[in-house]
Amino acid sequence: MLRDLSEILLTEEQIQARVQELGTTITQACEDLQTEELTVICVTSGSILFTADLIRQIQLHVRLDCIQVSSYQNKTHAVTEPQILSKLKLDIPGRHVLLVDDILDTGKTLKALMKLLNKENPASLRTCVLLNKQERREVDITADLIGFEIPNEFVVGYGLDFAERYRNLPYIGILKKELQGS
Ligand code: IMP
Ligand code: MG
């Protein structure tokens, strides 16, 4: 699978070190909010690996829920507006909520999810993304916490896919142009 990448952008060690820092920052931020519990919403499938590692670095009670969103159909760009495909199981009103996604690209997904969650009146709502592709932003949104800034390239690995492949790579790399197929 390494041969499908033109470059490794972030190694497993770099990712794990940053995830640890993010966990410490989140724990500290919750202490500042005087809460011992955080409700983490993982945007599936892309942020499953990131969320799994991140919550193990948070020194608080963590309630975990997942929400499924889709806008890509085997392409390297969104072909529809983000579709929210599942409902949350956990209650949001009055809770401190952290929304976790793999990558902030056009910003449409995070914006749609923020709107949905804000309607439920959380006590606080913050966002954490592993990657930020600032150049591609189409809507006005920034994440509260960002793991890494990356260039405008299509990346895979550590949860990120192309046509559902490469999610299991422990590192993140740029997919070769000839394999992007669109
Ligand atoms: P946005 O709504 O355009 O911000 O898109 C966010 C979603 O697009 C992410 O959760 C990813 O699933 C997907 N995405 C954006 N850029 C990439 C990429 O470079 N590789 C893989 N998936 C990506
Ligand atoms: Mg995704």
Side-chain angles (χ1 to χ4, degrees), residues 27-151:
T27 306
Q28 185 62 55
C30 287
E31 279 166 16
D32 295 345
L33 286 171
Q34 296 188 331
T35 179
E36 289 178 357
E37 187 188 81
L38 185 63
T39 299
V40 172
I41 311 288
C42 165
V43 184
T44 60
S45 305
S47 74
I48 286 183
L49 277 75
F50 176 40
T51 306
D53 287 338
L54 184 65
I55 60 175
R56 279 178 281 188
Q57 302 298 333
I58 298 176
Q59 312 297 318
L60 302 159
H61 298 297
V62 169
R63 304 193 317 154
L64 177 64
D65 205 346
C66 294
I67 193 156
Q68 198 186 356
V69 181
S70 175
S71 54
Y72 283 41
Q73 289 157 14
N74 300 349
K75 299 279 191 309
T76 55
H77 55 273
V79 291
T80 61
E81 290 299 303
Q83 317 278 312
I84 296 168
L85 302 174
S86 68
K87 283 207 161 101
L88 289 172
K89 291 191 294 291
L90 296 182
D91 55 303
I92 299 300
R95 304 290 187 164
H96 292 284
V97 176
L98 181 71
L99 181 59
V100 180
D101 206 357
D102 50 1
I103 184 166
L104 188 50
D105 188 40
T106 66
K108 289 181 181 175
T109 303
L110 218 56
K111 187 130 191 169
L113 287 171
M114 293 276 284
K115 191 172 162 193
L116 182 93
L117 289 166
N118 268 322
K119 273 196 213 152
E120 305 251 353
N121 295 315
S124 69
L125 175 58
R126 292 193 179 168
T127 51
C128 177
V129 296
L130 180 66
L131 307 175
N132 184 37
K133 242 195 246 179
Q134 189 63 36
E135 246 184 89
R136 294 250 313 159
R137 197 75 82 255
E138 287 179 25
V139 297
D140 182 23
I141 188 165
T142 48
D144 296 298
L145 283 169
I146 292 170
F148 303 93
E149 298 287 341
I150 63 159

